Amino acid sequence: MSKTDRIRACYQHCCLLYVSNQKMSNQTLRERFRLSDSQTATVSLIIGATKEVGLIKADESESTSTRYARYLPFWA
């Protein structure tokens, strides 16, 4: 997957979870991409890139800890 494809997949995953009344996390995205627990840094980079282009935002109502961070689509 190209970087653009990974960003789009992250955004779409976040939207899908949001309409299912759930929130995206590092773990849910890892599961979507079928990555191991040791690849959290890879998923964090994808989440960071998606946040940087403005497609997702951190859920401020949850914990401020990055370990338990949850994300919402930009329009939520």
Side-chain angles (χ1 to χ4, degrees), residues 47-64:
I47 291 172
T50 309
K51 281 177 58 178
E52 189 174 298
V53 296
L55 293 175
I56 64 173
K57 62 182 179 181
D59 180 11
E60 301 298 328
S61 68
E62 294 288 325
S63 171
T64 57

Side-chain angles (χ1 to χ4, degrees), residues 26-55:
N26 188 299
Q27 180 180 354
T28 63
L29 191 59
R30 258 194 345 265
E31 290 169 358
R32 173 71 63 175
F33 288 151
R34 295 186 179 130
L35 299 174
S36 69
D37 289 345
S38 63
Q39 294 177 299
T40 58
T42 302
V43 174
S44 294
L45 290 173
I46 296 168
I47 291 172
T50 309
K51 281 177 58 178
E52 189 174 298
V53 296
L55 293 175

